[in-house]
Amino acid sequence: MTKEPQDNLMEKIVALCKRRGFIYPSFDIYGGLAGFYDYGPYGLALKKNIENLWWKQFVTDREDVFGVDTVEVTKKEVLEASGHVGGFADPMVTCEKCKKRFRADSLDQARDKQGKCPECGGKLGEPKQFNMMLKTHVGASEDDASVAYLRPETAQGIFTNFKNVVDSFHPKLSFGIAQIGKAFRNEIAPRDFLFRVRELEQMEVEYFVKEGEWKPAFEMWRKEIHSFITAIGIDGNKVSELEVAEADRAHYSKRTIDFEFEFPFGRKELYGLAYRTDYDLKNHATASGVDLSYMDEETKEKIVPHVIEPSLGVGRSFLAVLLSAYTEDEMNGEKRVFLKLKPALAPITVAVFPLLKNKPELVAKAREVFNLLRSTFRDTRYTVAFDDNGNIGKRYRRQDEIGTPFCVTVDFDTIEKPAQPDARLNDIVGQDSGRSGGDQSVTVRDRDTGKQERVTISDLTEKIKSVLS
Ligand code: GAP
């Protein structure tokens, strides 16, 4: 079994994502729009599974984090106070000849020194700050007063609801407010598939602490991020931490650690953990005139909490998961591609096939097994699919490529060998499951080894459950 050499791995992932319904370039039929991608059915399932694991670990498994879901269009005053209107900018250079724009910090060094455009060789202008927020207008008039922005981070909706959550729930410090949602950045150079896009999703917690307690909270979230990386199957050997130098930190941060991943295009930021101090709450209090302090019941003092922020991109998680899972090997003399996804992430957990789709008795029995498994896994995060498309070899290839951990095949032995009475199956499917013939067993194929095992239908759910847990 080999991991793919890094050079063409991205191309293979991009192609697999399109072919198998994970990711489509947005507006493809109109030639696409740089930096925008849509999630297809399997991509959506994988994305939701990543988000659900995050939500469980960072919100519902804890007693000190509250979830919110706030709007994306953001009032200009909020982003003025947060420093984004003035400071959320990247240095950009424009080619005087072809008028293309480039991130000044990502231009090839040699050309940069010569001041030449990497596209046409024209003269590059001086670097200018380019604000990355997407602007819109709210209401009928398009004047300065109606300007609003699509939020560049989900965090600001959390800060503007800080007082609401405190007033409703009276949480004790330390506590967090979390959300998963879209953010928008008019990146100068969107690139590397999902890595740098213009419409992205973030999973963020703003964790409010007393100033003197920020360090242990920072360490606690640092560990949580590493454990999430493991939980979603990102290759931990490719993850490292970078202590971000002061000059490179966001305007609000007093300490930032970037969690970097070895992408095929270089070691780059996967997630960030920042100590945002009391910067946001203080600025919003000043700009709005609303008291955003917190009454510390122990000391009877009003304090402005400080903030630790773990910020995780959904798309970068998705890409790192795929890069970690993509595997090639040879099976039965043929080259095979499969995604070694954690079962909890796989878009389909178990696929059920009839060996042949033109044999009604096989199809009926496979449907019965499918219904049995579906009813067993109905209230879990696991999904069961019925697949009779193409021949069995094609079905295995397709399921391998989307990372389905188990394939269950109903064949002639299932229905034609001497019968074993099975009351349990009758109870579950609520009918006579037609077991007047057959050995009542099916083939269970393991994605990673390709090994096939004969399992009786009555033992099937327990067998699969035991491997999943
Ligand atoms: N609230 C803090 C914040 O937004 P950030 O480092 O700018 O900090 C946090 O972004 C995370 O969001 C990044 O670590 C990355 O996972 C993701 N992210 C940021 N910009 C992105 C982009 N253009 N495309 C995809 N993901 C992005």
Side-chain angles (χ1 to χ4, degrees):
M1 211 178 289
T2 55
K3 296 304 283 185
E4 184 59 22
Q6 299 290 292
D7 44 4
N8 55 1
L9 181 55
M10 277 305 288
E11 283 165 32
K12 289 181 176 181
I13 296 266
V14 172
L16 186 150
C17 279
K18 178 140 194 232
R19 184 169 71 248
R20 293 297 183 208
F22 282 86
I23 301 286
Y24 305 122
S26 304
F27 320 113
D28 212 6
I29 58 168
Y30 285 99
L33 184 61
F36 293 88
Y37 288 94
D38 296 328
Y39 287 80
Y42 291 143
L44 176 62
L46 173 54
K47 177 168 88 77
K48 289 241 173 261
N49 288 339
I50 292 172
E51 291 173 350
N52 288 342
L53 283 182
W54 184 89
W55 194 257
K56 184 167 161 19
Q57 183 187 329
F58 284 69
V59 185
T60 49
D61 278 356
R62 303 180 60 105
E63 288 183 35
D64 58 350
V65 177
F66 300 80
V68 294
D69 186 14
T70 73
V71 295
E72 289 159 18
V73 173
T74 304
K75 203 172 156 120
K76 145 179 100 181
E77 287 78 355
V78 172
L79 294 162
E80 281 168 352
S82 69
H84 286 89
V85 171
F88 193 61
D90 267 348
M92 176 198 75
V93 288
T94 308
C95 171
E96 290 177 3
K97 194 170 157 202
C98 71
K99 307 293 175 210
K100 286 218 167 110
R101 289 167 166 181
F102 305 93
R103 272 174 74 122
D105 56 1
S106 68
L107 276 181
D108 171 59
Q109 288 298 313
R111 286 175 192 274
D112 199 18
K113 274 188 206 129
Q114 295 162 11
K116 294 272 171 61
C117 170
E119 296 273 321
C120 73
K123 187 168 180 285
L124 292 174
E126 285 303 307
K128 285 194 186 129
Q129 291 299 316
F130 172 76
N131 192 297
M132 292 199 295
M133 285 198 296
L134 284 159
K135 214 185 223 181
T136 187
H137 292 268
V138 173
S141 55
E142 286 203 4
D143 52 21
D144 279 354
S146 69
V147 165
Y149 298 93
L150 299 184
R151 65 184 180 195
E153 57 172 359
T154 68
Q156 295 308 321
I158 293 178
F159 293 124
T160 52
N161 278 289
F162 170 78
K163 185 172 160 36
N164 290 332
V165 173
V166 169
D167 290 348
S168 307
F169 298 92
H170 310 288
K172 283 215 172 73
L173 285 178
S174 308
F175 71 91
I177 307 179
Q179 80 171 317
I180 298 178
K182 296 246 180 183
F184 302 83
R185 299 180 179 189
N186 196 7
E187 298 280 357
I188 301 162
R191 65 180 58 195
D192 299 320
F193 195 37
L194 302 178
F195 179 79
R196 194 184 301 287
V197 292
R198 287 172 165 150
E199 180 170 332
L200 56 132
E201 265 175 275
Q202 293 181 317
M203 307 180 281
E204 298 197 303
V205 181
E206 305 308 315
Y207 195 70
F208 302 95
V209 297
K210 291 182 190 168
E211 182 176 3
E213 293 171 6
W214 78 267
K215 284 184 181 160
F218 195 91
E219 289 310 312
M220 183 262 290
W221 287 109
R222 189 182 195 166
K223 287 201 190 103
E224 291 291 337
I225 291 176
H226 280 295
S227 99
F228 180 71
I229 286 171
T230 307
I232 61 171
I234 290 177
D235 183 353
N237 296 321
K238 293 194 170 171
V239 176
S240 53
E241 291 184 4
L242 173 78
E243 187 73 50
V244 180
E246 189 178 351
D248 298 329
R249 289 200 293 259
H251 57 279
Y252 48 70
S253 174
K254 215 165 172 180
R255 183 180 181 196
T256 297
I257 288 180
D258 279 353
F259 292 75
E260 296 192 316
F261 182 75
E262 268 175 50
F263 289 97
F265 41 86
R267 181 177 287 277
K268 302 264 161 106
E269 178 184 340
L270 175 64
Y271 306 138
L273 175 64
Y275 169 37
R276 290 181 81 128
T277 69
D278 55 359
Y279 175 90
D280 298 271
L281 287 182
K282 257 196 175 150
N283 283 351
H284 286 309
T286 308
S288 65
V290 174
D291 182 4
L292 295 180
S293 61
Y294 173 95
M295 172 59 84
D296 182 351
E297 290 301 337
E298 276 170 27
T299 60
K300 300 289 174 214
E301 266 179 347
K302 276 186 161 186
I303 55 168
V304 178
H306 281 231
V307 170
I308 305 297
E309 178 198 61
S311 178
L312 289 76
V314 174
R316 288 189 193 178
S317 305
F318 190 101
L319 183 54
V321 164
L322 288 182
L323 288 164
S324 303
Y326 185 94
T327 315
E328 290 182 356
D329 68 359
E330 230 185 70
M331 194 165 277
N332 307 325
E334 276 185 34
K335 197 178 143 208
R336 172 177 86 124
V337 169
F338 69 104
L339 292 184
K340 212 170 176 176
L341 294 173
K342 292 241 176 188
L345 289 190
I348 295 174
T349 322
V350 190
V352 181
F353 313 152
L355 180 66
L356 299 173
K357 74 169 180 184
N358 57 359
K359 295 284 174 207
E361 62 279 29
L362 285 182
V363 173
K365 190 72 187 175
R367 280 261 164 221
E368 205 177 275
V369 172
F370 166 66
N371 286 334
L372 163 71
L373 288 171
R374 212 159 52 150
S375 73
T376 305
F377 291 109
R378 176 164 294 131
D379 296 324
T380 71
R381 66 179 108 126
Y382 300 115
T383 50
V384 185
F386 185 84
D387 187 357
D388 63 359
N389 211 343
N391 66 37
I392 191 94
K394 277 197 182 144
R395 288 181 225 153
Y396 281 145
R397 270 202 295 285
R398 183 166 54 244
Q399 297 298 337
D400 282 345
E401 280 202 354
I402 64 168
T404 305
F406 303 105
C407 292
V408 170
T409 304
V410 168
D411 56 24
F412 290 107
D413 284 350
T414 318
I415 53 172
E416 285 175 0
K417 275 197 174 167
Q420 298 285 324
D422 187 350
R424 259 192 289 172
L425 183 57
N426 279 350
D427 289 347
I428 294 166
V429 297
Q431 61 191 22
D432 178 353
S433 52
R435 237 157 297 88
S436 50
D439 70 357
Q440 296 309 311
S441 63
V442 290
T443 302
V444 179
R445 175 181 175 275
D446 178 271
R447 174 197 66 199
D448 300 347
T449 60
K451 275 199 188 133
Q452 305 197 8
E453 196 185 335
R454 208 70 199 166
V455 178
T456 59
I457 294 172
S458 53
D459 290 339
L460 185 61
T461 56
E462 284 313 311
K463 161 86 191 160
I464 292 175
K465 270 190 200 164
S466 70
V467 190
L468 290 177
S469 57

